[in-house]
Amino acid sequence: MGQETKVRTGARAVMEVLQAEGVELVFGYPGGAVLPLYHELAQTSIHHILVRQEQNAVHAASGYARTSGRTGVCFATSGPGATNLVTGIATAYMDSVPVVIFTGQVPTSMVGSDAFQETDITGITIPITKHNYLVKDVEELPRIVKEAFYIASTGRPGPVLVDIPKDVALAPCQAPIPEKVELRGYKPTYHGHPGQLRALARLLKESRRPLLFAGGGVIASGAEGYLQELAEKIQAPVATSLTGLGAFPEDTPLSLGMVGLHGKPCANHAVMECDLLVGLGVRFDDRVTGAIEKFAPRARIAHVDIDPAEIGKNVRVDLPLVGDISCVLKELLALVEPAEHPEWLERIKILRNNYPLTYGRGGEVRPQWVIERLGEMTRGRAIIATDVGQHQMWAALFYGYTEPRTFISSCGLGTMGYGLPAAIGAALARPDRQVWLITGDGSLQMSMAELGTAIEQGISLKVLLFNNQSLAMVRQLQHFYYEGRYTAIKFTGNPDFVRLAECYGATGLRIAKQEEVVPALARAMQEDGITLIECLISEEEMVYPMVLNGAALNEMLLPE
Amino acid sequence: MDTVFGIPGGAVLPLYHELAASGIRHILTRHEQAAAHAAEGYARATGRPGVCIATSGPGATNLVTGIADAYMDSIPIVAITGQVGVAMIGHDSFQEADITGITLPITKANYLVKNIRDLAATIHEAFYVATTGRPGPVLVDIPKDITTQRAAFHYPPKLRLPGYRSRVEPHALQVAQAAAAILAAEKPLLFIGGGVITSGAHEEVRQLAEEQDIPVIMSMMGKGAFPETHPLFIGMVGMHGTVAANYAVCETDLIIGVGVRFDDRVTGKIEAFAPRAKIIHIDIDAAEIGKVVPAHIPIVADARQALQAILARLPEKKEHPAWRQKIKVWQDEHPLRYDECGLKPQYVIEELYRLTEGRAVIATDVGQHQMWAVQYYPVERPRSFLSSCGLGTMGFGVPAAMGAAIARPGETVVAITGDGSFQMNIQELATLSHYRIPVKIILLNNGYLGMVRQWQEFFFERRYAYSEMGGNPDFVKVAEAYRLPARRVTTREEVVPALEEALATDGPYLVEALIDREENVFPMVPPGGTLNKMVTGGRQ
Amino acid sequence: MKRTLSVLVENRPGVLTRVAGLFSRRGYNIDSLAVGRTENPTISRMTIVVDGDEQIIEQVCKQLNKLIDVIKLSDITDDPHVGRELMLIKVNADPAVRGEIMQIVDIFRARIVDIARNSLIIEATGDADKIDALENSLRPFGIREVVRTGKIAMLRGAKTKGMEASGDGTGD
């Protein structure tokens, strides 16, 4: 590619880059300004998935990217098409997901004149993209599109937006696709600094109570194998952040599970008791640390991340190490000696026994119990997409993830409505896998129209809907922080979700009793197509453990 | 302020805590975007500011399209968003988004409140800025810890805004020039837009038109600013305007543009727009004047004040019989028409017009049905046609109708929508069901993104790339799943009984019409084309 | 703590917005920002004076470095450098006090660049302290208007803060 220069339209040139990048599918929604791209897209072998609202095109691309490890792509038109993407882009940005977004724009001569369906989408998305472009010269288009893919997928991944005015897409383009990307302002650091690596090896050797804390960066760099090797070699327990679920198999003795405000008790206690905490591809988000001044009080903290700006942003760091987690762990493994920490592992065992994960009070059907059964029945090997709310936390705590890229959730931005489109993207990325969406009635309604997309695409998807007729996570906050004054959380106009599923041609099942749970799950696992299981649960269910504002991670509220 | 639309979430809970105690009505929508559109619908239907509330992060970003929509159509809404605590801003905290940065290009003003002492004054200023001058959306972002602090209530009686001038008096010399130009014109044309409705200048427009015998054309935003059944009315101008209106623009010697922005959908090819005309451009926003077309007589002022000043200088009445006659011939030769076989969307709207006697409040979505609604549902009163004109936002219709129905109880409110648009905010059926908001939904279903398909038919070699909506649900059953009455019509004969039932039923109702799938919107001026070169459909 | 950052950026539209937006978004305080193109027309240099504690300055630098259009960033506060700012100041100047003003102008090695009946415009360059001192000295006469450019800076000696220090990022 790129040797001979032939004249084709800008839109055609975009397709050439997409094909060169190996793009196999695009999520989108056509409209006036982006029609030139669609016109050419239809001439390629790239599969297009027509969503029902542009926001879900980004979410689906993000679900695809997270599941497959490849860059997700979406198309939208100018104006409302572009602004509808904003939440999806912000969601991908917060969770460092590689997505390239193409938006149509009004012709260059009209840019800035408040033309029909004109919006300054590059201005709007500056705070929520890794980078963005407004293409004004068609000869720059092949280079920019190639750069967009490069930037989105390298270093710390993230969304990149390319805004293409209609006349630019239609203009003749002579420029070839460049062979290489050359960006003088962008050069991620992959390899760890040798001195810092040696220092980390020394810290690990000195430590008697080491704790590895794995985040989304481990999964993004494909470092799960090295992580497992390291944990076993030095006999260190591993905790994860929400995005890190799946980075370390939860069915192994060294696994502690998720840390944080709703973290597992033994993981939270381990953070408070460890003498060395090695953060791997984590951001030490406020939902992880609790009261920052009380976080890991006895520990020295080492922080490995590809993004230097993350190191020292939230917690004090004793040993910073910039680099790609895979490279760093591989280099580190060569430097560390095998070690044993029998006392520490014994202590972990005691913590695990003293603080088991329990449910607390609830109704007839317990969502935690349902998710545990699902975990058993799928042996922790299904791909689980979630929405945001209580069910997200139950899915994080009770499923038991064993592989990376199997927990697909909006962790940083906490976007309700993410689940269904992300699950569709996941199902398209991994048709060989069972994909489950765990959702709630508030979240599902935010992107429910995508059931039509799922049906149209003929994918197989199972939806586990916990219906408590309310925004129950908000209710939980109002219970603890606002004197139990429950405001604006009751959904009295909820549809009959089973009938609704049937309107779209899906199978709908309703569960109101515990004995119905296992048969329903088993039936859904058998069915092709879309199956929705609605579980009626009590709005009084709470997510436990819960660390209140200002408390340390080991000061958890637990059910009586 | 009596009603707010929103969805609670962590960072905005302190506000909700107090809202519950305030007596202000809260409408819980199912997606924040719908809250913004509902606030717009409320504002468009009343002229009072609409208010929406959302939490930080995704709640705030979900408002973006609604805010951009209000910005393009100059609608006064105030969006209040929760934000993470001040100390956590900039740390990529949970549910943190830089919403003031994001909305910079799409708000008239926005504020991040960092001090409790500024809060009351900022809210006051937000409402003032949103509603005065050229109205528009204003966003106030309030960190969680600001709303939980206590402060003496400090509501300043007078705002200090040295950089903001909302009222401008019309310049006397320009008013005199305008009056002289009107007296001198032989083929004058009044071109009215949303600014007429905003400033309440519809009576003055009517007086000017009638006394000086000036025919009237409108932009889509101007729909309702002049009675469409009036003999002086010619129709909407532009890409899907009437033939007579577009011809008139090409012939006129004076355009009196009032509260319009000469959008590209109106002008077509700019060099060929109104080639023989002098242009008087009246607008409160000085930046609009001369932005697209050069104005010979610019008047920066509130439309009503400017028209009153001009009227005061036009003592005698005038008539333009030859000009009127010419227009009448065009109107007679090129009426709006459609082929009457099969179930046509135009027919459904015509019957709706007949059954509601033209007195319903109409909210539309975006697409072909929007243009058919403009063409076949003439309205008489301002604020009775609500549509996303500048941004062209699919998904606007149903939530906007909700806002309008809440703002104007007792009136018939109809949302005219298409299958593509409807699905963008279909979850709002739950809000309709929850509060029994009496919105009648007319869904014109052709199984396509019809406007996209039409463009592909005309400009992209009939290659219908991804404009067909596979996987559409059974919409009647969907409505029923929400406990809403609904009915499907597939033939012409079924239309009237279904509409009658919808209008006679208390509360919300959905009528789905399976319309001719490849019906087109005519007339049509190809984008960038000249207004008098229209495609007027196959069968003439 | 005030720090002076010298930042090489791509000379493209929107770069200033990206940098300014970063400061507001993350809640950093910008004291001054001066920007103009360098000896290479595709590259601009920003001199940013920013105020904050060590942790904030570290974040400012790291976050700026993340912007794709930022080619190289150096904190030159502690390196020997020449820092200059340009000020134009319009002061009341009745003929009776002109002589006195001209003396002050001479002391500060500033220049008078415009004379009207009752006022003067004075142009001054120097570091911030000098500019502040001049402004204070003129205040008793009545200042009508002040325009300042913000600081620009260059390293002393043969050292430069140019491109050669940073590698070109390349990919496949």
Side-chain angles (χ1 to χ4, degrees), chain A residues 36 57 109 171 280 357 415 480 490 512 514:
Chain A
S109 62
L280 301 165
L357 195 55
T415 305
F480 284 109
K490 202 78 190 130
Q514 180 152 330

Side-chain angles (χ1 to χ4, degrees), chain A residues 82-96:
Chain A
T83 54
N84 277 348
L85 300 170
V86 168
T87 298
I89 297 172
T91 305
Y93 183 69
M94 286 294 268
D95 288 344
S96 309

Side-chain angles (χ1 to χ4, degrees), chain A residues 416-430:
Chain A
M416 291 170 68
Y418 177 77
L420 179 56
I424 292 170
L428 288 160
R430 293 295 301 271

Side-chain angles (χ1 to χ4, degrees), chain A residues 347-418:
Chain A
R347 174 69 188 153
I348 298 276
K349 197 185 268 176
I350 291 168
L351 287 173
R352 211 190 293 268
N353 289 334
N354 288 356
Y355 302 101
L357 195 55
T358 52
Y359 308 164
R361 269 200 310 270
E364 159 85 30
V365 178
R366 309 305 309 278
Q368 304 91 334
W369 189 83
V370 176
I371 293 171
E372 280 181 331
R373 297 294 78 70
L374 181 65
E376 287 166 12
M377 291 169 75
T378 56
R379 287 170 293 131
R381 288 178 53 81
I383 293 170
I384 304 292
T386 85
D387 262 305
V388 171
Q390 289 184 315
H391 67 270
Q392 181 188 30
M393 292 300 130
W394 291 322
L397 291 169
F398 292 95
Y399 182 78
Y401 299 87
T402 58
E403 289 175 54
R405 304 194 178 282
T406 56
F407 178 75
I408 311 297
S409 191
S410 168
C411 305
L413 197 66
T415 305
M416 291 170 68
Y418 177 77

Side-chain angles (χ1 to χ4, degrees), chain B residues 226-420:
Chain B
F226 190 78
E228 292 188 56
T229 50
H230 195 287
L232 281 164
F233 185 71
I234 324 180
M236 184 170 78
V237 65
M239 181 174 279
H240 294 294
T242 61
V243 173
N246 284 351
Y247 280 179
V249 168
C250 294
E251 280 270 329
T252 178
D253 61 0
L254 177 71
I255 287 189
I256 308 155
V258 190
V260 289
R261 14 182 223 108
F262 294 96
D263 179 73
D264 55 298
R265 290 280 149 128
V266 158
T267 58
K269 190 178 175 187
I270 287 166
E271 306 80 70
F273 178 77
R276 301 177 174 84
K278 247 189 185 178
I279 294 178
I280 300 171
H281 192 173
I282 302 170
D283 205 286
I284 197 157
D285 181 355
E288 280 304 335
I289 292 175
K291 188 182 79 175
V292 176
V293 297
H296 304 91
I297 305 170
I299 301 180
V300 179
D302 171 70
R304 188 153 177 241
Q305 276 187 300
L307 288 178
Q308 283 171 345
I310 291 171
L311 281 165
R313 287 180 171 267
L314 292 171
E316 75 244 57
K317 296 201 172 196
K318 230 186 138 177
E319 288 190 357
H320 302 101
W323 176 226
R324 295 282 309 278
Q325 181 56 32
K326 198 161 193 179
I327 290 169
K328 177 137 194 327
V329 170
W330 290 329
Q331 285 177 307
D332 291 344
E333 280 177 4
H334 305 281
L336 285 170
R337 67 178 117 189
Y338 59 91
D339 190 353
E340 296 202 354
C341 70
L343 179 51
K344 295 292 186 185
Q346 299 94 330
Y347 172 75
V348 179
I349 296 170
E350 279 189 327
E351 289 304 324
L352 176 71
Y353 175 74
R354 194 174 58 77
L355 292 170
T356 55
E357 293 163 352
R359 299 196 51 80
V361 175
I362 304 288
T364 82
D365 257 307
V366 170
Q368 291 179 313
H369 67 271
Q370 180 185 29
M371 297 303 154
W372 289 320
V374 170
Q375 292 174 337
Y376 294 92
Y377 199 103
V379 301
E380 306 296 308
R381 304 172 292 163
R383 306 198 178 281
S384 49
F385 185 86
L386 321 176
S387 195
S388 166
C389 302
L391 194 66
T393 307
M394 294 172 67
F396 168 89
V398 171
M402 263 163 36
I406 284 163
R408 288 165 64 172
E411 293 197 52
T412 303
V413 178
V414 182
I416 299 179
T417 183
D419 52 316

Side-chain angles (χ1 to χ4, degrees), chain A residues 197-358:
Chain A
L197 276 166
R198 281 194 300 277
L200 178 53
R202 201 159 48 239
L203 281 182
L204 284 168
K205 191 174 176 190
E206 288 164 5
S207 165
R208 301 177 60 190
R209 296 189 304 275
L211 177 65
L212 303 179
F213 175 35
V218 172
I219 297 171
S221 82
E224 61 276 3
Y226 296 122
L227 172 62
Q228 215 166 331
E229 209 179 311
L230 178 68
E232 277 160 18
K233 189 170 184 182
I234 62 167
Q235 285 295 298
V238 181
T240 72
S241 69
L242 185 61
T243 32
L245 287 171
F248 193 78
E250 291 191 58
D251 55 357
T252 54
L254 287 172
S255 165
L256 298 175
M258 183 173 78
V259 171
L261 300 192
H262 295 296
K264 284 192 177 161
C266 80
N268 283 0
H269 279 290
V271 167
M272 299 303 285
E273 295 186 13
C274 68
D275 67 359
L276 172 66
L277 188 136
V278 183
L280 301 165
V282 290
R283 315 191 272 121
F284 294 102
D285 179 77
D286 53 302
R287 290 281 152 128
V288 157
T289 59
I292 202 109
E293 64 285 359
K294 299 179 188 164
F295 180 74
R298 298 175 193 169
R300 291 205 268 186
I301 296 179
H303 190 178
V304 186
D305 205 283
I306 196 157
D307 180 357
E310 281 304 335
I311 297 175
K313 189 180 78 174
N314 288 344
V315 296
R316 55 173 175 88
V317 170
D318 302 287
L319 187 119
L321 212 173
V322 178
D324 172 68
I325 308 291
S326 273
C327 292
V328 168
L329 288 185
K330 194 174 161 193
E331 289 153 357
L332 188 64
L333 276 164
L335 297 174
V336 296
E337 298 294 323
E340 308 263 335
H341 303 99
E343 283 174 30
W344 176 225
L345 293 183
E346 187 57 33
R347 174 69 188 153
I348 298 276
K349 197 185 268 176
I350 291 168
L351 287 173
R352 211 190 293 268
N353 289 334
N354 288 356
Y355 302 101
L357 195 55
T358 52

